[in-house]
Amino acid sequence: MQQRILGLDPGLAVVGFGLIVCEKSGQIPAKLVDFGVIKTSAKIPMGERLCTIYEDLNTIIEQLEPDLVAIEKLFFYRMGNTIAIAQARGVLTLVLAQHKLPTVEFTPAEVKQALTGMGNADKLDVQQAVARELNLDYIPKPDDAADGLALAITAWFNGE
């Protein structure tokens, strides 16, 4: 049975996303459908930035029609940065709930472990694993989009 998994890497300035199609059995390689980013400018008010994320994610969901969404669990950097990311993640969560999409969450360490076998792998190792798993001859860019794909692949590996 085919499944469409959307991975989301939350952020306020940049939300990364990636959609794969895979077989739940895991015996057929996953295929890349689309990836990209939602960007907002620091020059516009917070409310407008959150509206952009809301509207763009709705459009992405309507176009890509995912069956499942994998999203990065929030973890703490600096308090100011964490609050902004939490606000953006709240908007993502709202959109997913409005579309009644099942959602799974993974920490960065869980994604690294799933894709490389090491919970402390560096970004390049994860990006190379994404390219390898999707049979790509390039690393998806920007990094946030590759992170979205990594989340989708992690959900696939975990049989979600």
Side-chain angles (χ1 to χ4, degrees):
M1 180 176 147
Q2 276 200 338
Q3 184 176 35
R4 298 171 68 84
I5 304 175
L6 176 66
L8 293 174
D9 180 32
L12 180 60
V14 181
V15 175
F17 71 90
L19 186 93
I20 62 171
V21 173
C22 55
E23 294 288 330
K24 277 191 164 187
S25 67
Q27 295 184 5
I28 298 172
K31 292 182 183 133
L32 172 65
V33 175
D34 196 8
F35 66 91
V37 293
I38 299 169
K39 288 186 176 184
T40 68
S41 171
K43 295 177 183 176
I44 62 173
M46 174 66 82
E48 288 181 41
R49 295 175 82 179
L50 296 174
C51 283
T52 297
I53 292 169
Y54 177 88
E55 292 162 1
D56 287 1
L57 183 57
N58 269 299
T59 299
I60 289 165
I61 289 171
E62 288 165 9
Q63 290 175 351
L64 300 181
E65 300 178 329
D67 301 309
L68 175 70
V69 178
I71 189 167
E72 186 176 87
K73 278 186 186 175
L74 187 60
F75 63 102
F76 296 94
Y77 291 115
R78 299 176 310 259
M79 185 51 89
N81 189 36
T82 301
I83 291 170
I85 293 171
Q87 289 176 308
R89 192 176 186 284
V91 170
L92 299 176
T93 303
L94 172 64
V95 173
L96 300 176
Q98 288 176 329
H99 286 272
K100 297 179 176 34
L101 284 166
T103 305
V104 293
E105 299 177 273
F106 300 103
T107 65
E110 289 171 327
V111 173
K112 292 174 182 181
Q113 179 69 38
L115 269 75
T116 70
M118 299 179 298
N120 63 347
D122 64 28
K123 191 170 271 298
L124 181 59
D125 290 334
V126 173
Q127 292 170 343
Q128 289 172 336
V130 166
R132 182 178 60 251
E133 291 300 329
L134 297 176
N135 199 27
L136 304 174
D137 57 1
Y138 61 93
I139 292 174
K141 295 289 182 187
D143 293 352
D144 304 278
D147 291 345
L149 288 168
L151 284 151
I153 293 167
T154 300
W156 174 49
F157 283 176
N158 282 301
E160 300 293 342

